[in-house]
Amino acid sequence: MQQKKVYIESYGCQMNVNDSEVVASILAQDGYTPVTTAEEADLVLLNTCSIREKAEQTVLNRIDQVNSLKNRNKELKVGVLGCMAERMRGELLEQKKVVDLVVGPDAYRTLPDLLQQVGGGQKAVNVLLSREETYGEIVPVRLNSNGVTAFVTIMRGCDNMCAFCVVPFTRGRERSRDAASIVEECTQLVRDGYKEVTLLGQNVDSYKWRPVKVDPTADPDAVVDFADLLDLVARACPTLRIRYSTSHPKDMTDKVLQVMASHPNICRYIHLPVQSGSDPVLKRMNRGYDRAWYLERVAAIRRYMPDCAISTDIIAGFCGETDEDHRQTLELIDAVGYDMAYMFKYSERPKTLAARKYPDDVPEEVKGRRLQEIIDRQKLRSTERMAGYVGQVQEVLIEGVSKRSDAHMFGRNSQNAVVIVPRWVGEPARELRPGDMVHARITSSTSGSLQGQVVEPIHETGATA
Ligand code: SAM
Ligand code: SF4
């Protein structure tokens, strides 16, 4: 088979990063090797995100850049994958003529056939969504990997219909992946030397797998829920650190919290997007919980795991949001004391419930001001939370060399805080490597990271020193 080169660029969420790895695996069967720059590729694929208008604009600009490569390499083929492929197929094929290939998130298995069409000079498109596709048995080819941490997708799509969100339209109905294939992928990652996995889904708390789907002799009523899945992975891989994202406040059960608390290898970190602190806004957002319910879930997390970090997503300036609604969001940030937050200005997305039902009536400058106030408030809370670690000894999994200084390494503690430590430790000095698990005494902090000194013992990759 003739060797061809593919360059895949991922935008948006962690799930897209993992989808690109599934695509690389499907293309490897078709003779493609991944390369790290667009310039050296025969095929450039942009795996895209539609969550906000700005994300789409970034990709549209990037298509123009890739276009210029076609002037030099007439054989170059360009494809758009993911959420924008699903949402903008017409525009991408007709207006952005550079695009040869448009493939939605559930159609990646058809890539080899589509590429044959493209090779024959045609444009190719498949944006069919599926109720079944989970790519369950496909072993992802890890791209840009640090060899330490990996993503494992456990479910696809979303059935929630939050009023602002385009995901149900671009990624289709929710479906869960075979639990056995998830456990198998995690155990294989351990064999390959990985130290940490993040289990991914838009709403992991609604994960449900019926073993009878693949085994007719299984109990027809048996169901593996998310808590069961966490327990299975934690038991099968006791040396692996396990994270997951994203939790949904309406579905997060005490059973999940109990399982987390009972396994030291499940990280003490929960990403629990709140979106707004105001009940009328949450209702219009169709989130399925109110402020009191959310705060009770936060209290439950702290009951089971007092040392658990909590992060969130917040949207500023959703339809009809008043100054009072905004004030409630600021108050909620204080009440929870989040360790970290992702914060966004509301961006209206075509077809969503909000686009059809509510005017996007908060002026842009008000959205901007409110977002800044949210960012400022969260920074105070992050600074406080991080300062709480100073003086403590934390278990840190080393991921790589610090971006700021090559005399330092960076890693994360169980709570997902970034920890910076010197690269050389001990007497005689030994160089830390990605995958080492160290104990570090935290000496100082900022709102975004911790600095520390390694205290022995060091658990080297796979062994205890
Ligand atoms: N499924 C997850 C959840 O329910 O929280 C996350 C989905 S989304 C990929 C990540 C975040 O993007 C959301 O939590 C929300 O804060 C933000 N987001 C989604 N749609 C948005 C929009 N139209 N405008 C601004 N932010 C948006
Ligand atoms: Fe979008 Fe809501 Fe589904 Fe998250 S839970 S992906 S915000 S619809």
Side-chain angles (χ1 to χ4, degrees), residues 254-277:
D254 280 29
K255 186 176 166 192
V256 166
L257 301 177
Q258 276 160 9
V259 168
M260 286 179 76
S262 68
H263 289 287
N265 60 328
I266 304 180
C267 288
R268 298 298 186 249
Y269 171 63
I270 296 183
H271 184 59
L272 194 66
V274 68
Q275 316 297 359
S276 167

Short mmCIF file of all heavy atoms in Angstrom, two decimals, residues 254-277:
data_model
loop_
_atom_site.label_atom_id
_atom_site.label_comp_id
_atom_site.label_asym_id
_atom_site.label_seq_id
_atom_site.Cartn_x
_atom_site.Cartn_y
_atom_site.Cartn_z
N ASP A 254 -25.39 10.35 44.18
CA ASP A 254 -24.54 10.07 45.33
C ASP A 254 -23.74 8.78 45.10
O ASP A 254 -22.64 8.63 45.62
CB ASP A 254 -25.39 9.92 46.60
CG ASP A 254 -25.77 11.29 47.16
OD1 ASP A 254 -25.87 12.25 46.36
OD2 ASP A 254 -25.95 11.40 48.38
N LYS A 255 -24.33 7.87 44.29
CA LYS A 255 -23.63 6.60 44.02
C LYS A 255 -22.28 6.88 43.35
O LYS A 255 -21.27 6.27 43.69
CB LYS A 255 -24.51 5.72 43.13
CG LYS A 255 -23.98 4.32 42.90
CD LYS A 255 -24.99 3.50 42.07
CE LYS A 255 -24.37 2.23 41.52
NZ LYS A 255 -25.19 1.56 40.51
N VAL A 256 -22.25 7.83 42.41
CA VAL A 256 -20.99 8.20 41.75
C VAL A 256 -20.01 8.74 42.79
O VAL A 256 -18.82 8.37 42.81
CB VAL A 256 -21.23 9.24 40.63
CG1 VAL A 256 -19.92 9.87 40.18
CG2 VAL A 256 -21.95 8.60 39.45
N LEU A 257 -20.51 9.59 43.69
CA LEU A 257 -19.63 10.19 44.70
C LEU A 257 -19.08 9.13 45.65
O LEU A 257 -17.91 9.18 46.04
CB LEU A 257 -20.38 11.29 45.47
CG LEU A 257 -20.94 12.42 44.60
CD1 LEU A 257 -21.74 13.40 45.45
CD2 LEU A 257 -19.81 13.15 43.88
N GLN A 258 -19.95 8.15 46.00
CA GLN A 258 -19.49 7.06 46.88
C GLN A 258 -18.37 6.26 46.21
O GLN A 258 -17.38 5.94 46.85
CB GLN A 258 -20.65 6.11 47.19
CG GLN A 258 -21.52 6.58 48.33
CD GLN A 258 -22.90 5.93 48.32
OE1 GLN A 258 -23.17 5.00 47.56
NE2 GLN A 258 -23.78 6.45 49.14
N VAL A 259 -18.57 5.95 44.92
CA VAL A 259 -17.55 5.17 44.22
C VAL A 259 -16.25 5.97 44.16
O VAL A 259 -15.16 5.44 44.41
CB VAL A 259 -18.03 4.79 42.80
CG1 VAL A 259 -16.88 4.24 41.96
CG2 VAL A 259 -19.15 3.76 42.87
N MET A 260 -16.35 7.27 43.85
CA MET A 260 -15.13 8.09 43.81
C MET A 260 -14.42 8.05 45.16
O MET A 260 -13.20 7.84 45.23
CB MET A 260 -15.48 9.55 43.50
CG MET A 260 -15.86 9.81 42.06
SD MET A 260 -16.26 11.55 41.80
CE MET A 260 -14.65 12.31 41.78
N ALA A 261 -15.19 8.25 46.22
CA ALA A 261 -14.59 8.32 47.56
C ALA A 261 -13.92 7.00 47.94
O ALA A 261 -12.97 6.99 48.72
CB ALA A 261 -15.66 8.70 48.58
N SER A 262 -14.41 5.88 47.37
CA SER A 262 -13.89 4.59 47.79
C SER A 262 -12.65 4.15 46.99
O SER A 262 -12.07 3.12 47.27
CB SER A 262 -14.97 3.51 47.69
OG SER A 262 -15.28 3.29 46.34
N HIS A 263 -12.29 4.90 45.95
CA HIS A 263 -11.11 4.54 45.15
C HIS A 263 -10.10 5.68 45.14
O HIS A 263 -10.35 6.72 44.54
CB HIS A 263 -11.51 4.26 43.69
CG HIS A 263 -12.28 3.00 43.51
ND1 HIS A 263 -11.72 1.75 43.60
CD2 HIS A 263 -13.59 2.80 43.25
CE1 HIS A 263 -12.65 0.84 43.39
NE2 HIS A 263 -13.80 1.43 43.19
N PRO A 264 -8.92 5.48 45.76
CA PRO A 264 -7.93 6.56 45.76
C PRO A 264 -7.42 6.90 44.37
O PRO A 264 -6.90 7.99 44.14
CB PRO A 264 -6.80 6.02 46.64
CG PRO A 264 -7.08 4.57 46.83
CD PRO A 264 -8.52 4.31 46.54
N ASN A 265 -7.56 5.97 43.40
CA ASN A 265 -7.05 6.28 42.04
C ASN A 265 -8.06 7.05 41.19
O ASN A 265 -7.77 7.38 40.04
CB ASN A 265 -6.57 5.01 41.33
CG ASN A 265 -7.64 3.95 41.15
OD1 ASN A 265 -8.53 3.83 41.99
ND2 ASN A 265 -7.56 3.19 40.07
N ILE A 266 -9.28 7.33 41.72
CA ILE A 266 -10.18 8.23 41.00
C ILE A 266 -9.92 9.64 41.53
O ILE A 266 -10.00 9.88 42.74
CB ILE A 266 -11.66 7.85 41.18
CG1 ILE A 266 -11.88 6.39 40.75
CG2 ILE A 266 -12.55 8.80 40.37
CD1 ILE A 266 -13.31 5.90 40.89
N CYS A 267 -9.58 10.55 40.63
CA CYS A 267 -9.10 11.86 41.08
C CYS A 267 -10.18 12.66 41.78
O CYS A 267 -11.37 12.57 41.47
CB CYS A 267 -8.56 12.65 39.88
SG CYS A 267 -7.01 11.97 39.30
N ARG A 268 -9.72 13.47 42.73
CA ARG A 268 -10.62 14.31 43.53
C ARG A 268 -10.90 15.60 42.77
O ARG A 268 -10.43 16.68 43.14
CB ARG A 268 -9.97 14.61 44.89
CG ARG A 268 -9.69 13.38 45.72
CD ARG A 268 -11.01 12.69 46.04
NE ARG A 268 -10.81 11.58 46.96
CZ ARG A 268 -10.96 10.28 46.64
NH1 ARG A 268 -11.30 9.95 45.40
NH2 ARG A 268 -10.82 9.34 47.53
N TYR A 269 -11.63 15.45 41.70
CA TYR A 269 -11.89 16.61 40.84
C TYR A 269 -13.18 16.38 40.07
O TYR A 269 -13.34 15.33 39.45
CB TYR A 269 -10.72 16.78 39.86
CG TYR A 269 -10.97 17.83 38.79
CD1 TYR A 269 -11.14 19.17 39.14
CD2 TYR A 269 -11.04 17.48 37.45
CE1 TYR A 269 -11.37 20.12 38.17
CE2 TYR A 269 -11.28 18.44 36.47
CZ TYR A 269 -11.44 19.76 36.85
OH TYR A 269 -11.69 20.71 35.88
N ILE A 270 -14.08 17.36 40.12
CA ILE A 270 -15.34 17.24 39.38
C ILE A 270 -15.59 18.54 38.62
O ILE A 270 -15.55 19.63 39.20
CB ILE A 270 -16.53 16.94 40.32
CG1 ILE A 270 -16.33 15.57 41.00
CG2 ILE A 270 -17.86 16.96 39.55
CD1 ILE A 270 -17.45 15.13 41.90
N HIS A 271 -15.80 18.40 37.31
CA HIS A 271 -16.19 19.56 36.50
C HIS A 271 -17.71 19.57 36.44
O HIS A 271 -18.32 18.68 35.85
CB HIS A 271 -15.58 19.45 35.10
CG HIS A 271 -15.85 20.65 34.26
ND1 HIS A 271 -15.45 21.91 34.62
CD2 HIS A 271 -16.51 20.80 33.08
CE1 HIS A 271 -15.84 22.79 33.71
NE2 HIS A 271 -16.49 22.13 32.78
N LEU A 272 -18.31 20.57 37.08
CA LEU A 272 -19.77 20.60 37.25
C LEU A 272 -20.33 21.92 36.72
O LEU A 272 -20.54 22.87 37.48
CB LEU A 272 -20.08 20.44 38.76
CG LEU A 272 -21.50 20.11 39.15
CD1 LEU A 272 -21.91 18.72 38.66
CD2 LEU A 272 -21.67 20.16 40.67
N PRO A 273 -20.56 21.99 35.40
CA PRO A 273 -20.98 23.27 34.81
C PRO A 273 -22.30 23.78 35.40
O PRO A 273 -23.27 23.04 35.46
CB PRO A 273 -21.13 22.94 33.32
CG PRO A 273 -20.25 21.76 33.11
CD PRO A 273 -20.38 20.95 34.38
N VAL A 274 -22.28 25.04 35.83
CA VAL A 274 -23.50 25.63 36.40
C VAL A 274 -24.21 26.51 35.38
O VAL A 274 -25.42 26.62 35.38
CB VAL A 274 -23.18 26.41 37.71
CG1 VAL A 274 -22.35 27.65 37.45
CG2 VAL A 274 -24.45 26.78 38.44
N GLN A 275 -23.46 27.20 34.55
CA GLN A 275 -23.94 28.12 33.47
C GLN A 275 -24.45 29.44 34.01
O GLN A 275 -24.13 30.49 33.46
CB GLN A 275 -25.00 27.46 32.57
CG GLN A 275 -24.72 26.03 32.12
CD GLN A 275 -23.47 25.88 31.26
OE1 GLN A 275 -22.79 26.85 30.97
NE2 GLN A 275 -23.14 24.65 30.89
N SER A 276 -25.28 29.43 35.08
CA SER A 276 -25.78 30.68 35.65
C SER A 276 -26.16 30.45 37.10
O SER A 276 -26.51 29.32 37.47
CB SER A 276 -27.02 31.16 34.88
OG SER A 276 -27.66 32.21 35.60
N GLY A 277 -26.12 31.52 37.91
CA GLY A 277 -26.52 31.39 39.31
C GLY A 277 -27.96 31.81 39.54
O GLY A 277 -28.42 31.83 40.69
#
